[in-house]
């Protein structure tokens, strides 16, 4: 079955360390996205990518970096420059259609800085 | 960026009651979508709406695409405990110019169902 997989489900990081969150999809979707969700809050867009080797900053890109070397993969690196990285991170993908049929979301990664 | 105003922010209801939530915007959208997020999971698509005035049902859920194209509502009838979660609206602006940044999300409605 096709889907989008995020790993790991839980991640702990020491202050000052970079950490990379994985996102893989086998839906043959062109576009992929990273969102951050804080407790009781909505979704805030970090980065998005329309095609391989191209990506754009979202609303809260500072302290994060991404790559899109393969269509199936869109890893997110949370760098030490991100001052408040503890949050729930969601990856999503979609077809590149004029009329959206919605995003497919992964099950999320909960990052905690210790 | 564009904003969707979703209300209420949270709701506490008794099992068996009906629920209504809505989203409004100052901009016209050509697609409205409703998602549900279970605790600790990613959002899952519930209903998609593509035409102004469209009314669509999915089991106990009913959603409508507002006539003005600037609003949408979601109703849940006869709520049950598994309805607990966060409900998000999302809209797509017309003529996205090929941008993958297709959807704008509301801030969510946290629903709690009391036994």
């Amino acid at each position: 079955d096709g889907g989008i997989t995020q790993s790991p489900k839980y991640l702990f990081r020491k202050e000052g360390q970079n950490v990379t969150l994985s996102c893989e999809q086998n839906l043959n979707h062109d576009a992929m996205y990273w969102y951050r969700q804080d407790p009781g809050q909505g979704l805030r867009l970090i980065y998005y990518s329309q095609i391989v080797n191209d990506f754009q900053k979202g609303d809260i890109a500072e302290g994060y970096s991404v790559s899109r070397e393969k269509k199936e993969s869109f890893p997110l690196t949370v760098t030490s420059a991100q001052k408040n990285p503890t949050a729930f991170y969601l990856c999503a993908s979609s077809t590149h259609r004029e009329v959206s049929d919605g995003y497919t979301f992964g099950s999320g990664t909960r990052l905690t800085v210790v | 960026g564009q904003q969707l105003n979703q209300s209420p922010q949270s709701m506490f209801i008794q099992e068996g009651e009906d629920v209504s939530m809505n989203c409004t915007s100052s901009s016209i959208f050509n697609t409205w979508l409703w998602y549900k997020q279970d605790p600790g999971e990613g959002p899952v698509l519930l209903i998609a709406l593509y035409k102004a005035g469209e009314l669509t049902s999915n089991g106990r859920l009913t959603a409508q695409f507002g006539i003005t194209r600037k609003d949408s509502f979601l109703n849940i009838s006869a709520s049950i405990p598994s309805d607990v979660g966060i409900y998000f609206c999302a809209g797509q602006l017309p003529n996205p110019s090929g941008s993958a940044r297709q959807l704008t999300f509301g801030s969510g409605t946290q629903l709690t169902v009391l036994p």
Side-chain angles (χ1 to χ4, degrees):
Chain A
D1 290 336
I4 182 166
T5 302
Q6 289 186 242
S7 61
K9 182 67 174 177
Y10 300 95
L11 190 56
F12 296 87
R13 188 195 94 174
K14 293 182 179 180
E15 285 191 20
Q17 287 183 338
N18 292 354
V19 64
T20 298
L21 282 59
S22 171
C23 180
E24 303 276 335
Q25 55 98 0
N26 60 2
L27 299 166
N28 199 32
H29 284 173
D30 294 298
M32 298 186 74
Y33 316 81
W34 275 105
Y35 287 88
R36 170 180 172 141
Q37 186 177 30
D38 292 287
Q41 302 296 314
L43 308 176
R44 292 189 290 169
L45 183 64
I46 305 173
Y47 268 97
Y48 65 100
S49 169
Q50 299 184 58
I51 57 173
V52 174
N53 293 322
D54 182 68
F55 49 83
Q56 305 295 327
K57 292 182 179 180
D59 300 316
I60 56 165
E62 184 176 354
Y64 300 98
S65 66
V66 293
S67 62
R68 187 85 188 275
E69 298 178 359
K70 298 186 301 181
K71 186 176 184 179
E72 301 79 18
S73 179
F74 192 40
L76 173 74
T77 297
V78 184
T79 75
S80 56
Q82 171 51 238
K83 299 304 180 186
N84 186 21
T86 295
F88 190 54
Y89 291 87
L90 286 162
C91 181
S93 66
S94 72
T95 54
H96 202 50
R97 296 172 57 185
E98 183 173 345
V99 177
S100 177
D101 55 2
Y103 295 172
T104 301
F105 284 88
S107 57
T109 293
R110 185 167 300 280
L111 174 64
T112 304
V113 174
V114 297
Chain B
Q2 299 295 331
Q3 288 193 348
L4 291 180
N5 300 310
Q6 185 170 350
S7 64
Q9 186 175 9
S10 62
M11 302 180 72
F12 292 82
I13 61 170
Q14 295 291 139
E15 185 176 353
E17 289 184 345
D18 297 344
V19 173
S20 184
M21 59 193 78
N22 69 84
C23 277
T24 62
S25 174
S26 57
S27 300
I28 290 174
F29 288 91
N30 66 358
T31 302
W32 283 96
L33 303 137
W34 285 92
Y35 286 85
K36 182 195 177 192
Q37 183 181 27
D38 289 327
E41 297 295 328
V44 173
L45 182 65
L46 297 174
I47 292 178
L49 302 157
Y50 298 105
K51 296 180 181 179
E54 180 180 357
L55 184 72
T56 297
S57 294
N58 178 7
R60 293 179 295 106
L61 278 60
T62 301
Q64 186 159 29
F65 192 140
I67 293 292
T68 65
R69 298 172 62 191
K70 294 182 178 181
D71 63 323
S72 177
F73 72 75
L74 175 70
N75 287 343
I76 305 173
S77 62
S79 59
I80 59 178
S82 61
D83 290 335
V84 165
I86 303 176
Y87 292 80
F88 290 100
C89 64
Q92 180 193 23
L93 294 168
N95 301 320
S97 300
S99 170
R101 192 171 179 175
Q102 299 176 354
L103 298 182
T104 301
F105 284 87
S107 56
T109 295
Q110 173 74 60
L111 178 63
T112 301
V113 179
L114 304 172

